[in-house]
Amino acid sequence: VAEGLHTGAMGPSEVRVALWLCLLSWPLPVAVPSASASEHIPGHNRFSTLDITTANVPLSRRWLSACTLNLAQSSPRGTPTTSEGGEVGGGTGLANDGQQPATSPYVLIFGGEQEVTFSDTWLYDVAGDSWWLWPAITPTPGLEYTSPSERYGHSCTTGGGVGDNTSPNNHQFAVLFGGYYTQAYNDVWVFSSQDIEWSQPAMLDNATPVKRWFHTSVSIAPSQSNSKQFLVFGGTTSWNGTAYVRDHYAFLNDVWLLTVTPQSDGGANFTAQWQEVERNEPLPPGRPVPRASHVAVWAQNRRTMIVVGGWGGGDIGGYLDIWEMNYTTSQSKWTRLQPDFPGDKYLLDGYRDQTATYWESSSCVVLFGGTDMKPGQALWAYCFITGNFGTWVQVDTSPSLSVP
């Protein structure tokens, strides 16, 4: 979880950025609401602040994208390493000192908005506790760098295999889609873990989703082939063809499948193809209504996409519902899960703008934050009990450590 505080004019010395690490234990200790107050049951779930020892960190922002990525040591330009000279981004470029593992976990963040709209790419080295601003401080001579334009409200989703990252089947990459800055976008960008570069894939046909932002994208079950697939759901757009228009925006509930394939050269060359799974419907029977600012996760052990909350415009407000889509290549089926998020006790306008991940070993959707969420009430889990029924758990983070 990334947290930022902007305290004045936008300068490195006036911005604080913190990364928070949440460690969860099972069974989840819960905060049990009572008629008069919330009684916290002590447990082992604690937030700890990762020590960022350099001032060279991203400026604070909102509506950015973040995804994890294993960078390959064997890439042509090596692995990011920490600079002792304190240069911008905490790095002097790319080097391979032979001491890094074959792959090392990083957090890739791009863009966002805070008084200005950003187009910068940052990599956070989890093991080394350091930031690196892409591209290298000293770029490779003769190498041209391309990247997405400034935007916010876009999605970034990790796809690809795990392992040594040296074969096409293990080529891990991040896929960025959509976003907004003066206009909505529907372009696709890929960040390669092998070349550590952005590139635009060659599109195989003309089928393309409408431009959008504040949508979701999930990576579905990894396949044995080198092609990886992503499900994109909902969002909002300035185009109003078949979408449901409210407050001068169009809210969407369509579903698209994106297939991205690395080429045999193993570099930053990809092809991509879109396939429409479900069309926009203003009042669809048996599926979520149009929305934006929701969250979605892929539950591998259930082979489903789970969607929580969202926002439908000023006259509609926010949503507290939770849905599950069972997707196969031949059909999709939505099921409304029970119960809804108990947001009437905590939120003024629906459950939206939160973040989420899926905890597979415990069959729980873990959610953090959101608009109007109060301190101490920000960490929740929806845990499946049987079938389409689960329970909402307010995860306890007491007794003393602060929560972001």
Side-chain angles (χ1 to χ4, degrees), residues 248-318:
H248 306 292
Y249 293 98
F251 289 83
L252 307 169
N253 65 344
D254 54 346
V255 179
W256 286 78
L257 177 72
L258 175 65
T259 302
V260 179
T261 306
Q263 297 306 287
S264 58
D265 60 7
N269 295 317
F270 298 83
T271 60
Q273 187 171 22
W274 287 104
Q275 175 188 340
E276 188 176 43
V277 178
E278 291 186 342
R279 295 179 179 274
N280 288 307
E281 291 187 39
L283 297 173
R287 53 182 281 215
V289 296
R291 65 190 63 203
S293 301
H294 52 284
V295 292
V297 298
W298 176 259
Q300 172 60 20
N301 61 342
R302 299 173 67 87
R303 295 194 61 82
T304 60
M305 178 176 68
I306 300 171
V307 175
V308 183
W311 189 66
D315 59 333
I316 298 296

Side-chain angles (χ1 to χ4, degrees), residues 149-152 178-185 211-213 238:
S149 60
E150 61 264 59
R151 67 190 66 197
Y152 59 87
Y180 183 88
Y181 175 64
T182 70
Q183 64 175 348
Y185 294 104
K211 299 175 181 180
R212 68 190 65 205
W213 69 102
S238 55

Side-chain angles (χ1 to χ4, degrees), residues 103-125:
T103 58
S104 184
Y106 286 76
V107 178
L108 169 72
I109 72 168
F110 176 83
E113 185 269 346
Q114 184 67 36
E115 298 185 11
V116 297
T117 301
F118 295 95
S119 62
D120 50 349
T121 300
W122 289 82
L123 290 160
Y124 175 72
D125 180 357

Side-chain angles (χ1 to χ4, degrees), residues 168-214:
N169 283 9
N170 278 334
H171 190 167
Q172 195 176 56
F173 48 86
V175 174
L176 183 149
F177 169 66
Y180 183 88
Y181 175 64
T182 70
Q183 64 175 348
Y185 294 104
N186 63 350
D187 51 348
V188 176
W189 288 82
V190 180
F191 190 90
S192 168
S193 64
Q194 292 188 0
D195 285 347
I196 315 181
E197 292 180 20
W198 286 107
S199 64
Q200 285 195 276
M203 305 306 295
L204 296 182
D205 56 39
N206 294 325
T208 305
V210 65
K211 299 175 181 180
R212 68 190 65 205
W213 69 102
F214 294 140

Side-chain angles (χ1 to χ4, degrees), residues 238-393:
S238 55
W239 180 81
N240 63 359
T242 61
Y244 192 18
V245 179
R246 290 198 291 262
D247 294 349
H248 306 292
Y249 293 98
F251 289 83
L252 307 169
N253 65 344
D254 54 346
V255 179
W256 286 78
L257 177 72
L258 175 65
T259 302
V260 179
T261 306
Q263 297 306 287
S264 58
D265 60 7
N269 295 317
F270 298 83
T271 60
Q273 187 171 22
W274 287 104
Q275 175 188 340
E276 188 176 43
V277 178
E278 291 186 342
R279 295 179 179 274
N280 288 307
E281 291 187 39
L283 297 173
R287 53 182 281 215
V289 296
R291 65 190 63 203
S293 301
H294 52 284
V295 292
V297 298
W298 176 259
Q300 172 60 20
N301 61 342
R302 299 173 67 87
R303 295 194 61 82
T304 60
M305 178 176 68
I306 300 171
V307 175
V308 183
W311 189 66
D315 59 333
I316 298 296
Y319 298 108
L320 302 173
D321 51 354
I322 176 169
W323 290 81
E324 183 175 49
M325 191 186 82
N326 189 328
Y327 171 75
T328 66
T329 56
S330 59
Q331 62 180 354
S332 59
K333 179 183 178 182
W334 286 97
T335 301
R336 183 164 180 172
L337 303 177
Q338 299 295 331
D340 289 352
F341 179 74
D344 55 330
K345 300 177 182 178
Y346 306 98
L347 303 174
L348 300 177
D349 194 16
Y351 198 15
R352 57 190 175 102
D353 297 319
Q354 68 274 44
T355 59
T357 190
Y358 187 69
W359 188 6
E360 184 170 336
S361 62
S362 300
S363 295
C364 294
V365 182
V366 181
L367 306 104
F368 177 79
T371 299
D372 297 327
M373 189 64 75
K374 305 295 189 298
Q377 300 173 347
L379 185 61
W380 286 83
Y382 178 88
C383 299
F384 287 94
I385 298 176
T386 180
N388 65 343
F389 187 82
T391 183
W392 285 97
V393 179

Side-chain angles (χ1 to χ4, degrees), residues 29-40:
V30 299
V32 181
S34 62
S36 57
S38 294
E39 176 186 0
H40 291 275

